[in-house]
Amino acid sequence: MTRANGLFIDGAWCGGASEIENRNPSDLSDLIGHYAQADAAQLDAAIAAARAAQPLWQAAGIQKRHDALMAIGTELMARADEIGRLLSREEGKPLAEGRGEVYRAGQFFTYFAAEVLRNQGDLAESVRPGVEIDVRREPVGVVAIISPWNFPVATPAWKIAPALAFGNAVVWKPANQTPASAVALTEIIARQDLPAGVFNLVMGPGGGVGQRLAESPGIDAISFTGSVPVGRQIAAAAIGNMTKMQMEMGSKNPMIVMDDADLDLAVAHACNAAFGGTGQKCTAASRLIVHDAVHDAFVDRLVAAASALRVGHALEDGTQVGPVVSGAQLTQNLDYIAAGKAEGAELLCGGDRPEMPAEGHYMAPAVFAGTTNDMRINREEMFAPITCVLRAGSYGEALAIANDTPFGLTAGIMTRSLARAAHFRANMRAGCVMVNLPTAGTDYHVPFGGRGASSYGPREQGRYAAEFYTTVKTAYVAAGAPE
């Protein structure tokens, strides 16, 4: 086991108890490497190291924290092409998206570097004469970060950056499908002047390492992004220790297309939202709710646009849709295609495995029409390049369909009406609403999160991140009389 594919615990690279194989989903003959897997003792060592190091990091001061985060972010942005290529090679998203993700990850670090210097407290007047009140934020302690494979650099970045910015120590368990990206990010963080143990990379299976991490009394807070079932398991494991939790989970995002919409723009945004990142985004538009008056025209244009998307190797020029991340994910996607057909939905294009020069986990983007909101394909998060069209006879009916879901992450509307747009913003039950924009695509300096089964706990990103990564202390001081 080498530094290039090992664990990072207590300031040192080390081998694991076992290892896994990592292959390119665009070309299964391309072996990226073998990556370490931690055992229980190594995880416990990482947690112990984090607990010992956190007070040192808190005491290091805001200038030191600012400088470390700024250096991490600057290097990520400078190396976006190199690391983005590695990311796309192992995850499967087109190279342009991989580069963009790494650059955005750098922006998270530079943003929170600035937030370090802005982390100021409040003074308050007491109701009692001669008493001063000081309100400030302090680190929550040791933060466990459990991140997904679909954004293997950006998602951990928007968790790790605020955790370190506010003086916490980190134990990070990334998804096993994308270990190379995790190691690349860790190598950059490990080069900074951090106390040993402040940042730890512990790779391993969710059922073993992830579960033990969630159950540990040595963890003060858990930030998780993943599926609803896994999120519930983590919550059940962590609640016994009263661990603070932040969870971003499933979604079933709607995009409403009204009768006054610019159809060309609506189709472009629908394709972007539904098939960008091979549909493997929590913000993907998997339900397209279209007004009767423009339904047929919209569907015709959507099918033509989806059919024209170029499916290919993630690193090839011109690829618009790469492979899905794994064989297991591909099998699940094809099962949803079969389920949609069985429920009576009409598959208008895609949903099959195209012929490709190399063996990989490829799937053509799929469009279902004639769907209803009670079908499985409209109730469950598929995480696939599949979108479903539903008819609506009015704006009110479209809004009701959009809100008829246990989820509530993102939602969009395509309309020229200011009145409809304003009503939608006020009445759509989602954490992020988009008007004449794709449902996918958010900024790094503002809060991100959803409602219902999509999210639990404080928001991520922007200044709202302080709610999770810090705890508030109120100090009362008797000022005394001057001599």
Side-chain angles (χ1 to χ4, degrees):
M1 191 63 61
T2 68
R3 169 179 173 151
N5 53 11
L7 311 173
F8 187 72
I9 298 173
D10 199 13
W13 292 93
C14 60
S18 61
E19 62 181 30
I20 57 168
E21 186 178 83
N22 184 22
R23 290 189 177 272
N24 182 348
S26 294
D27 181 356
L28 297 182
S29 68
D30 178 18
L31 175 64
I32 298 169
H34 293 86
Y35 289 83
Q37 299 283 278
D39 61 13
Q42 289 176 308
L43 175 61
D44 292 347
I47 296 171
R51 295 213 69 81
Q54 188 275 319
L56 302 176
W57 183 235
Q58 180 178 353
I62 61 174
Q63 188 66 55
K64 192 176 186 68
R65 298 206 297 270
H66 166 274
D67 293 349
L69 267 67
M70 186 62 71
I72 295 167
T74 301
E75 183 170 347
L76 280 166
M77 289 187 282
R79 296 175 60 194
D81 183 74
E82 170 203 347
I83 299 174
R85 184 171 292 273
L86 175 65
L87 187 161
S88 292
R89 182 182 169 207
E90 76 165 350
E91 194 270 348
K93 65 182 57 174
L95 181 54
E97 295 184 36
R99 289 173 178 144
E101 177 178 338
V102 175
Y103 194 89
R104 175 54 58 90
Q107 290 176 314
F108 283 116
F109 277 97
T110 57
Y111 172 84
F112 280 105
E115 284 298 292
V116 171
L117 303 182
R118 199 178 1 243
N119 185 23
Q120 301 171 358
D122 298 310
L123 296 176
E125 293 286 340
S126 174
V127 296
R128 293 168 288 176
V131 175
E132 296 177 352
I133 301 175
D134 172 17
V135 182
R136 65 182 61 197
R137 290 188 175 274
E138 296 183 348
V140 71
V142 176
V143 179
I145 290 172
I146 302 175
S147 62
W149 50 261
N150 63 323
F151 285 93
V153 177
T155 300
W158 80 51
K159 298 173 184 291
I160 294 167
L164 295 178
F166 294 119
N168 300 285
V170 170
V171 179
W172 175 29
K173 196 211 87 64
N176 256 352
Q177 292 92 330
T178 50
S181 295
V183 169
L185 177 55
T186 298
E187 286 179 332
I188 294 174
I189 296 172
R191 280 198 289 276
Q192 310 312 313
D193 185 18
L194 310 179
V198 163
F199 178 82
N200 303 271
L201 170 68
V202 184
M203 298 185 286
V209 171
Q211 184 70 15
R212 188 175 182 89
L213 192 58
E215 293 172 350
S216 174
I219 296 298
D220 298 300
I222 299 173
S223 182
F224 165 78
T225 297
S227 69
V228 173
V230 175
R232 286 176 174 156
Q233 290 174 13
I234 290 171
I239 196 63
N241 297 315
M242 301 299 287
T243 307
K244 193 174 186 180
M245 286 179 276
Q246 176 189 67
M247 297 191 175
E248 295 298 335
M249 297 175 286
S251 63
K252 199 65 190 169
N253 309 303
M255 176 186 284
I256 295 173
V257 180
M258 290 308 302
D259 53 346
D260 63 344
D262 178 330
L263 287 191
D264 289 334
L265 185 65
V267 168
H269 286 345
C271 274
N272 177 309
F275 306 126
T278 320
Q280 298 173 146
K281 295 182 178 181
C282 59
T283 54
S286 58
R287 293 186 299 148
L288 305 177
I289 304 165
V290 185
H291 193 284
D292 269 332
V294 295
H295 176 278
D296 293 349
F298 174 83
V299 168
D300 288 345
R301 297 186 197 192
L302 177 66
V303 170
S307 301
L309 291 172
R310 181 178 173 184
V311 179
H313 193 296
L315 301 183
E316 288 182 357
D317 291 340
T319 292
Q320 295 170 290
V321 178
V324 301
V325 73
S326 67
Q329 185 67 44
L330 179 60
T331 297
Q332 178 178 294
N333 295 354
L334 297 175
D335 287 346
Y336 274 115
I337 294 293
K341 290 178 179 178
E343 288 183 303
E346 183 182 2
L347 182 63
L348 299 182
C349 68
D352 57 347
R353 300 192 62 186
E355 293 280 340
M356 304 299 292
E359 183 184 0
H361 304 308
Y362 294 99
M363 175 180 175
V367 175
F368 275 114
T371 76
T372 58
N373 213 38
D374 59 351
M375 293 180 175
R376 274 188 64 204
I377 54 175
N378 282 322
R379 304 306 296 178
E380 299 176 11
E381 182 179 45
M382 295 181 285
F383 230 59
I386 303 171
T387 196
C388 306
V389 181
L390 303 97
R391 283 183 181 267
S394 65
Y395 165 74
E397 182 183 1
L399 180 64
I401 294 171
N403 276 326
D404 179 17
T405 175
F407 302 108
L409 184 54
T410 67
I413 188 170
M414 302 297 301
T415 182
R416 290 187 173 96
S417 167
L418 289 176
R420 282 173 175 166
H423 189 273
F424 178 80
R425 289 168 62 189
N427 293 279
M428 182 67 224
R429 294 192 293 273
C432 304
V433 296
M434 282 71 169
V435 177
N436 295 325
L437 288 166
T439 57
T442 58
D443 288 355
Y444 60 88
H445 67 301
V446 291
F448 175 81
R451 298 170 62 160
S454 289
S455 300
Y456 179 84
R459 288 287 189 258
E460 298 196 270
Q461 302 183 24
R463 300 186 71 179
Y464 284 72
E467 295 299 323
F468 177 72
Y469 292 99
T470 65
T471 185
V472 175
K473 176 182 284 182
T474 305
Y476 296 84
V477 180
E483 294 183 1

